[in-house]
Amino acid sequence: HGKESGRGQCVRYKQFMQIEADERHILENDLRGALENGDLSVAYQSIVDANSEQVIGYEALLRWNHPTRGEISPAVFIPIAEEARLIGNIGNWVLRTACAQAKTWPDHVRLSVNVSALQVEGGGLANSIIGALAASGLSPERLELEVTESVFLDNHEKTDATLENLRSLGINLVLDDFGTGYSSLGYLRRASFSTIKIDRGFVKSATRGSTESLAIIRAIVTMAEELGMKTTAEGIESIREMDVMRDLGCTQLQGYLFSRPTETVSGRVDNRVSVADIVPFSNTELKRQ
Ligand code: C2E
Ligand code: MG
Ligand code: MG
Ligand code: MG
């Protein structure tokens, strides 16, 4: 029966791939108009100090509300934007929008913006940042750029110089999703990162008692301390995860436990997250999703 079902599977696979390609093509075309149509927005998720639980900053997360399909995840459309070479324009818009928003927050509250490897390679990123800072009046010390190790994969000679140039503007660099992919320690030497973000996969497995994950997080945290870097644990969804990551020495925490990304963060930023606020939230909102 192998041959027949094998061929059937092959046809189905081809159909699947065709649909995928068509789907990508449609989304790519829709994405071209999304900026002008006002379908893109920026949501902000708080990052809190692990000990005081004070909000120390917000991460800007891009949202696409498609006119007929509703919310589409950035995990889906960012790669399409990259492939269609739309990421430069979209990224520039995110920077300008988020910097203007952050300017309305209290002075000690920082802004983190994700930038993709293509933006770093593209050459226009520094100017885009300078423009966004100038237009908003936000001071560069309040801006952090989150990059993943994928910026290093192509081994562009320009990458180190570009990152160093960005640092020299006074902004901080964050290594996002650390623990996924290759996570070479060499990357940490390649640029002066102020913060390492520990991927939420580690947070999950460490909290479930994986001794390997616990050991790796301990090593990352110790190394970060020695190198004068902060560590942010992402994807904190429960009090237990918060306790585990704090006890491991992570200096900053982020996740649904504290807040989901929301589209409006006013000038009045809630600075104190008390456990009393957290418990009902984690018990109700979290379970539902
Ligand atoms: P990321 O930068 O690692 O962002 C963290 C993702 O985890 C976000 O997903 C966030 O909503 C989600 N998250 C936060 N807390 C929790 C939690 O407690 N539990 C769970 N399960 N998830 C949590 P989102 O918003 O869907 O973004 C996905 C990715 O898309 C981001 O991952 C980032 O790589 C990319 N992205 C988002 N906005 C932008 C942007 O403006 N530019 C670029 N280049 N990439 C972006
Ligand atoms: Mg990020
Ligand atoms: Mg991340
Ligand atoms: Mg991630």
Side-chain angles (χ1 to χ4, degrees), residues 69-230:
R69 294 156 186 246
E71 287 290 333
I72 296 176
S73 165
V76 171
F77 73 79
I78 293 284
I80 294 175
E82 290 176 338
E83 208 174 272
R85 302 276 149 178
L86 295 168
I87 194 67
N89 274 345
I90 291 175
N92 188 38
W93 179 82
V94 170
L95 275 164
R96 288 186 165 259
T97 305
C99 285
Q101 174 74 247
K103 180 64 183 170
T104 71
W105 302 339
D107 279 345
H108 66 277
V109 179
R110 295 177 172 215
L111 167 69
S112 289
V113 178
N114 294 285
V115 294
S116 77
L118 277 185
Q119 287 173 273
V120 176
E121 287 164 19
L125 185 57
N127 279 338
S128 177
I129 288 166
I130 291 166
L133 291 173
S136 63
L138 190 76
S139 106
E141 290 73 28
R142 290 177 63 189
L143 178 62
E144 299 179 332
L145 291 190
E146 298 194 3
V147 299
T148 63
E149 62 194 13
S150 63
V151 298
F152 299 115
L153 289 186
D154 288 339
N155 208 8
H156 277 249
E157 285 171 11
K158 284 192 310 187
T159 301
D160 297 294
T162 303
L163 292 178
E164 192 40 47
N165 183 31
L166 294 173
R167 279 279 307 122
S168 73
L169 296 176
I171 63 175
N172 288 298
L173 300 177
V174 177
L175 189 55
D176 203 353
D177 298 339
F178 197 73
T180 61
Y182 296 93
S183 298
S184 160
L185 296 186
Y187 297 145
L188 294 171
R189 286 191 309 140
R190 292 274 295 273
S192 27
F193 291 100
S194 65
T195 308
I196 299 173
K197 273 196 157 182
I198 300 172
D199 191 72
R200 73 165 183 269
F202 272 110
V203 174
K204 284 277 165 289
S205 56
T207 312
R208 288 182 192 137
S210 157
T211 48
E212 289 84 2
S213 291
L214 284 168
I216 291 167
I217 295 169
R218 267 192 209 103
I220 294 173
V221 168
T222 305
M223 182 182 59
E225 277 168 5
E226 303 268 319
L227 294 171
M229 292 187 275
K230 295 174 282 185

Side-chain angles (χ1 to χ4, degrees), residues 237-240 256-258 260 275-289:
E237 295 183 348
S238 67
I239 300 217
R240 183 166 154 66
Y256 294 166
L257 177 64
F258 305 101
R260 283 179 180 266
V275 174
D277 294 332
I278 293 167
V279 174
F281 179 68
S282 61
N283 284 347
T284 55
E285 297 264 334
L286 282 179
K287 294 257 165 68
R288 237 177 279 144
Q289 289 233 315

